[in-house]
Amino acid sequence: MVLLNDLTNRITLDDPEERRVLSRVSWPQYEALLADMGDSSAYRVHFLDGVLEILAPSRNHEIGKTLIGNLLELYFLETDTEFFPMGSTTLKKPEQKAGGEPDESYCIGTDKEFPDLAIEVIVTSGSINRLELYRRLGVREVWFWQKNRLSLYHQREETPGQFAETAGYEPIQNSEVLPDLDLELLTRCLQISNPLAAAKAFRQGLQSD
């Protein structure tokens, strides 16, 4: 089809944090695009119900996601927490018409096909509802880092009812996947612009608890 043949050219993004959104994309077209882009692609690709969104992350985006990952891995080490990093692994469920690539993701306790925790750094708003996407992918908890603030959501409903506005996820103040994590400490350290200073402050805070 013309869409598939022209897709690679149409998603060429020149500006950091630029997005392309295409509608009426079939699942085979989405799969073909992923295969064409390969594992080394710098883009983040999300798919939901025929809508395809491609993001070229900015430097600020990548700094944020890397710092979150570094601090969480310090937490896992200091607390002897068993974890399995999945990073930006492409998560797909064709029967749910859903596919996505979180900024960071982890299985906690045991390795699984889909992560327990997905983390998104938000610099510019997207077109695809991330909570609906992760609900369909079966991710238990989703964190958003936006404007120097963490927002956490834990899945309560497989079919949204009481929490319909948040796709079956309940906004929470403390992580249920990592219940002993001091989110105030994590947030303070994420706001430190120097990565080494942030890691040292976070480790010191963990060791003083």
Side-chain angles (χ1 to χ4, degrees):
M1 293 181 65
V2 174
L3 172 64
L4 182 58
N5 293 337
D6 194 37
L7 206 46
T8 302
N9 291 330
R10 292 175 61 187
I11 67 169
T12 300
L13 308 179
D14 299 319
D15 299 323
E17 211 58 31
E18 187 179 355
R19 295 174 187 268
R20 289 281 187 270
V21 179
L22 303 172
S23 57
R24 293 181 291 182
V25 177
S26 69
W27 187 266
Q29 288 172 332
Y30 165 60
E31 291 269 28
L33 173 65
L34 292 178
D36 186 56
M37 295 174 76
D39 293 336
S40 61
S41 172
Y43 298 131
R44 301 275 196 282
V45 182
H46 295 85
F47 179 94
L48 185 66
D49 289 336
V51 176
L52 184 73
E53 179 184 285
I54 305 102
L55 167 72
S58 65
R59 181 178 180 181
N60 284 339
H61 186 124
E62 293 299 274
I63 289 173
K65 85 111 179 174
T66 301
L67 184 55
I68 291 172
N70 289 345
L71 296 189
L72 281 180
E73 294 197 14
L74 262 178
Y75 173 79
F76 297 142
L77 177 63
E78 291 290 336
T79 60
D80 200 27
T81 298
E82 196 76 53
F83 75 103
F84 299 86
M86 295 183 68
S88 297
T89 299
T90 301
L91 310 172
K92 296 182 293 183
K93 282 192 176 180
E95 71 278 8
Q96 294 288 341
K97 300 180 182 178
E101 299 168 351
D103 287 311
E104 295 288 353
S105 59
Y106 300 91
C107 296
I108 306 300
T110 59
D111 200 4
K112 309 172 185 73
E113 183 179 1
F114 292 91
D116 298 298
L117 172 63
I119 302 170
E120 292 266 357
V121 175
I122 307 297
V123 177
T124 59
S125 58
S127 300
I128 287 178
N129 184 325
R130 292 293 195 270
L131 288 176
E132 174 62 21
L133 175 64
Y134 288 124
R135 179 188 71 81
R136 296 196 196 181
L137 293 171
V139 177
R140 293 166 54 200
E141 196 164 290
V142 182
W143 297 3
F144 297 104
W145 175 250
Q146 185 174 22
K147 297 180 179 178
N148 285 332
R149 180 174 177 269
L150 276 171
S151 300
L152 282 65
Y153 296 85
H154 195 90
Q155 187 178 16
R156 300 292 184 216
E157 303 166 329
E158 292 186 8
T159 303
Q162 180 182 355
F163 301 105
E165 291 186 2
T166 49
Y169 285 84
E170 180 182 11
I172 55 175
Q173 297 301 313
N174 295 292
S175 173
E176 296 183 22
V177 170
L178 299 173
D180 297 325
L181 175 62
D182 184 341
L183 288 174
E184 290 186 7
L185 172 64
L186 177 61
T187 299
R188 286 199 308 271
C189 294
L190 287 172
Q191 293 170 350
I192 298 173
S193 58
N194 183 292
L196 180 58
K200 287 182 175 180
F202 187 63
R203 184 173 61 184
Q204 183 178 17
L206 291 174
Q207 292 175 345
S208 64
D209 285 346

